[in-house]
């Protein structure tokens, strides 16, 4: 990354009053607790700051990566030679109007689910417990327990490649299983409007509690992970394939196939990104050899090789 470009970007951040960190370990900003340093982390609080930072980065040849709370992210051990735009609690306002909720990209799904509960709004219960942000959830059409973001998403506010802020109807995002057209269009998600329905607060609370208990019972929540490591292959369940291949508990370095849920690769202590990558590759090879099924990663892998 060009040093002059970084200096310009940091000068712009200071002028905007935007918080930043230099050479910050990404293990402190991912749920895997893994990852080398990023050249710069930026923590914008407004759409104006985001637009100005993106414009400055492009003008000065600085590579820019946008993340939420790092819940679906594996960062390489050498880190990221880039500026990282962090959409987190600094940019996380949630507002309710009738039976719709607008949430900025950095709002956690837990926060939005609790807001829906407080206003007796139903439809988002499936997302309770997903450890991500609204921006990331929209970006990948996150889902669980039979629900997906596309079921409740009305529209998304984005910053386009032309640095215009636009509201895009959900129907134009080609939402599918763990997919949206947002990456290929180069959009940066700023916020999302969710269309919910009035419901019974006791029933909503009960469903959320039920799903939370299922997560505790079935998922290795006590260990750092990035959630489900592999996408669900058509006609199969990734975790069952890994388990049936005899890989439950398989360990490489500090990385392990969870003994509680084989769809999760976990950091049992001191795991490196390479440990995780080697274990991913091992699982893919064994499943392919035994069942002829190709496992694709759901977790996003970024950084220097």
């Amino acid at each position: 990354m060009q040093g002059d470009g970084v200096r310009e970007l940091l000068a712009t951040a200071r002028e905007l009053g935007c918080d930043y960190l230099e050479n910050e370990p990404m293990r402190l900003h991912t749920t895997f607790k893994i990852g080398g340093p990023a050249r710069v982390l930026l923590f914008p609080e407004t759409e104006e700051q985001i637009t100005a930072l993106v414009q400055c980065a492009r003008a000065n040849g600085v590579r820019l990566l946008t993340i939420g709370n790092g819940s679906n992210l594996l960062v390489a051990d050498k880190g990221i030679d880039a500026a990282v735009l962090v959409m987190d609690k600094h940019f996380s306002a949630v507002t309710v109007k009738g039976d719709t909720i607008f949430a900025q990209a950095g709002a956690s799904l837990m926060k939005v689910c609790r807001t829906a509960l407080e206003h007796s709004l139903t439809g988002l219960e499936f997302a309770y417990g997903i450890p991500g942000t609204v921006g990331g959830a929209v970006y990948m059409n996150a889902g669980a327990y039979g629900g997906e973001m596309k079921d409740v998403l009305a529209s998304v506010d984005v910053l386009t490649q032309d640095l215009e802020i636009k509201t895009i109807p959900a129907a134009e995002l080609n939402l599918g299983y763990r997919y949206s057209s947002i990456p290929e269009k180069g959009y940066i998600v700023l916020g999302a409007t969710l269309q919910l329905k009035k419901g019974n607060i006791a029933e909503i609370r009960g469903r959320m509690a039920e799903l939370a208990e299922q997560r505790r019972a079935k998922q290795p929540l006590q260990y750092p992970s990035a959630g489900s490591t592999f996408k669900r292959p058509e006609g199969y369940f990734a975790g069952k394939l890994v388990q049936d291949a005899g890989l439950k508990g398989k360990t490489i370095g500090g990385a392990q196939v969870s003994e509680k849920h084989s769809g999760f690769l976990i950091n049992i202590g001191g795991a490196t990104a390479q440990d995780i990558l080697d274990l991913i590759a091992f699982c893919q090879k064994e499943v392919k050899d035994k069942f002829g099924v190709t496992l694709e990663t759901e977790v996003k892998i970024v950084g220097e090789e």
Side-chain angles (χ1 to χ4, degrees):
M1 188 191 294
Q2 295 179 358
D4 288 345
V6 172
R7 285 193 288 273
E8 288 291 334
L9 184 60
L10 293 179
T12 297
R14 287 191 290 270
E15 289 172 10
L16 294 168
C18 175
D19 290 343
Y20 65 86
L21 295 167
E22 296 184 74
N23 299 312
E24 174 76 355
M26 288 301 294
R27 63 181 171 77
L28 302 177
H29 301 273
T30 67
T31 57
F32 247 143
K33 306 301 181 188
I34 291 171
R39 181 66 184 83
V40 180
L41 263 65
L42 301 156
F43 301 89
E45 297 183 10
T46 67
E47 292 181 352
E48 291 74 22
Q49 287 182 347
I50 294 167
T51 303
L53 291 168
V54 173
Q55 185 174 29
C56 179
R58 289 183 184 170
N60 289 280
V62 178
R63 180 181 165 221
L64 197 63
L65 173 71
T66 303
I67 70 169
N69 68 344
S71 62
N72 193 47
L73 194 64
L74 177 63
V75 178
D77 296 314
K78 290 185 179 179
I80 308 172
D81 186 24
V84 181
L85 202 62
V86 184
M87 304 286 205
D88 66 355
K89 60 186 179 182
H90 294 75
F91 190 68
S92 62
V94 178
T95 55
V96 180
K97 184 177 182 181
D99 55 2
T100 64
I101 292 180
F102 176 79
Q104 289 182 317
S108 71
L109 288 175
M110 294 289 280
K111 178 179 180 180
V112 181
C113 287
R114 291 187 184 112
T115 300
L117 173 63
E118 290 166 7
H119 291 81
S120 301
L121 295 174
T122 186
L124 196 60
E125 291 88 335
F126 72 88
Y128 188 68
I130 296 178
T133 59
V134 167
V138 170
Y139 184 94
M140 65 174 293
N141 185 31
Y145 298 109
E148 296 177 293
M149 290 303 293
K150 72 181 181 66
D151 300 333
V152 295
L153 189 64
S155 62
V156 181
D157 289 2
V158 302
L159 181 68
T160 70
Q161 289 274 40
D162 297 324
L163 299 179
E164 295 179 314
I165 294 174
K166 289 186 175 181
T167 299
I168 311 294
E172 295 180 12
L173 296 174
N174 300 322
L175 296 165
Y177 174 67
R178 302 301 177 266
Y179 171 83
S180 79
S181 60
I182 290 170
E184 62 197 48
K185 292 182 178 179
Y187 292 154
I188 292 176
V189 177
L190 300 175
T193 298
L194 309 179
Q195 180 64 61
L196 304 176
K197 296 177 181 178
K198 284 293 182 181
N200 179 287
I201 191 168
E203 292 178 1
I204 297 168
R205 183 181 289 110
R207 179 59 175 160
M208 288 167 63
E210 177 188 345
L211 294 182
E213 178 54 37
Q214 286 188 42
R215 288 181 186 279
R216 284 191 294 270
K218 297 180 180 180
Q219 298 180 8
L221 302 181
Q222 69 272 38
Y223 291 101
S225 78
S228 297
T229 304
F230 302 105
K231 295 180 181 179
R232 186 180 68 240
E234 188 171 353
Y236 299 90
F237 291 100
K240 189 174 189 308
L241 286 169
V242 174
Q243 179 175 319
D244 290 350
L247 302 179
K248 178 179 283 192
K250 170 66 179 177
T251 302
I252 296 179
Q256 183 183 80
V257 176
S258 169
E259 295 181 342
K260 196 170 190 180
H261 189 315
S262 297
F264 285 63
L265 270 55
I266 58 176
N267 177 359
I268 56 174
T272 64
Q274 194 60 53
D275 291 341
I276 298 289
L277 291 171
D278 290 347
L279 189 54
I280 286 172
F282 187 84
C283 291
Q284 288 172 323
K285 182 180 185 305
E286 291 296 301
V287 168
K288 181 70 171 179
D289 288 350
K290 287 182 169 64
F291 307 112
V293 178
T294 300
L295 291 179
E296 296 181 22
T297 53
E298 183 171 313
V299 61
K300 185 178 180 183
I301 301 165
V302 299
E304 306 305 310
E305 295 298 328

